[in-house]
Amino acid sequence: MGCTAADVVAALRAAATVVQEHRDELVRLDQAIGDADHGENLKRGFTAVLSRLDADPPDTPAKVLKLVATTLISTVGGAAGPLYGTAFLRASAAVGDATELDCPAVARALQAALDGVVARGKAVVGDKTMVDALTPAVTAAACADGSVAAALSAAADAAAEGASSTVPMVARKGRASYLGERSAGHMDPGARSTALLLRAFADAAAEA
Ligand code: ADP
Ligand code: MG
């Protein structure tokens, strides 16, 4: 039993809720080392994603992911909009036109998302970005027992650890890098939002 288009939509609903609940936290994190817009940017983007999904629900997982990508690219702005947009676009391409995604397909989608973020933003682990959350998540998303929920839960846990690991880092990419050493001591907002999104996806998969 894989993830249908409806399951992917349910995961995005969960993600939108989590982004709304953590909007202020993400704003505060971005206030410390950026320009305080990350929470509002993502909230706006995921609100738009939900209304487009409601208006015209796509019939394959890839089409859902592509709609998310184009919506985030056109509504989120900042650095994170194109990066998350690219992540979802690459994930969409990675799963082809399957009507259900099994665990290896979900793992491939995560890997493709990371590859897209790295291709676009050129950040590596240690630069204090969302790459510090997404890289360990991809490594952890193993399909030992074939369970999508288990793979996503392991990915979400690894992403949370990865986000925590950004606290002492000095930013080398993005707006926070303008602060130099003063960026140390704060969690990267994009790493935090990546961990939150993966936790929402995992929890949704566990309920499917
Ligand atoms: P902006 O910095 O333009 O205001 P956001 O506040 O929405 O954009 O997003 C900031 C987040 O984007 C950072 O916390 C970081 O995780 C991520 N980011 C910025 N630049 C890069 C990059 N080159 N590669 C990967 N992630 C990046
Ligand atoms: Mg910002």
Side-chain angles (χ1 to χ4, degrees), residues 26-27 30-31 33-39 41 77-80 175-176 189:
L26 293 171
V27 164
D30 198 28
Q31 204 160 34
I33 60 169
D35 57 357
D37 64 351
H38 190 60
N41 288 351
R175 204 177 280 281

Side-chain angles (χ1 to χ4, degrees), residues 156-176:
D157 287 346
E161 274 187 46
S164 296
S165 80
T166 66
V167 172
M169 290 176 187
V170 172
R172 288 191 294 248
K173 281 280 185 295
R175 204 177 280 281

Side-chain angles (χ1 to χ4, degrees), residues 26 29-30 33-42 76-84 117-118 120-124 127-132 166 172-176 178 187-194:
L26 293 171
L29 291 176
D30 198 28
I33 60 169
D35 57 357
D37 64 351
H38 190 60
E40 186 58 31
N41 288 351
L42 278 189
V76 174
L83 290 165
Y84 275 130
V117 169
V118 170
R120 176 133 204 153
K122 309 275 184 282
V124 296
D127 284 349
K128 196 178 181 99
T129 72
M130 59 177 71
V131 169
D132 289 300
T166 66
R172 288 191 294 248
K173 281 280 185 295
R175 204 177 280 281
Y178 307 157
M187 187 180 293
D188 176 65
R192 174 66 176 144
S193 61
T194 292

Side-chain angles (χ1 to χ4, degrees), residues 76-165:
V76 174
L83 290 165
Y84 275 130
T86 302
F88 280 98
L89 202 57
R90 294 286 189 100
S92 169
V95 301
D97 54 11
T99 52
E100 286 197 25
L101 307 184
D102 59 9
C103 190
V106 171
R108 272 201 312 281
L110 278 180
Q111 177 73 58
L114 170 62
D115 292 347
V117 169
V118 170
R120 176 133 204 153
K122 309 275 184 282
V124 296
V125 168
D127 284 349
K128 196 178 181 99
T129 72
M130 59 177 71
V131 169
D132 289 300
L134 199 48
T135 301
V138 167
T139 306
C143 293
D145 65 357
S147 156
V148 171
L152 285 175
S153 189
D157 287 346
E161 274 187 46
S164 296
S165 80

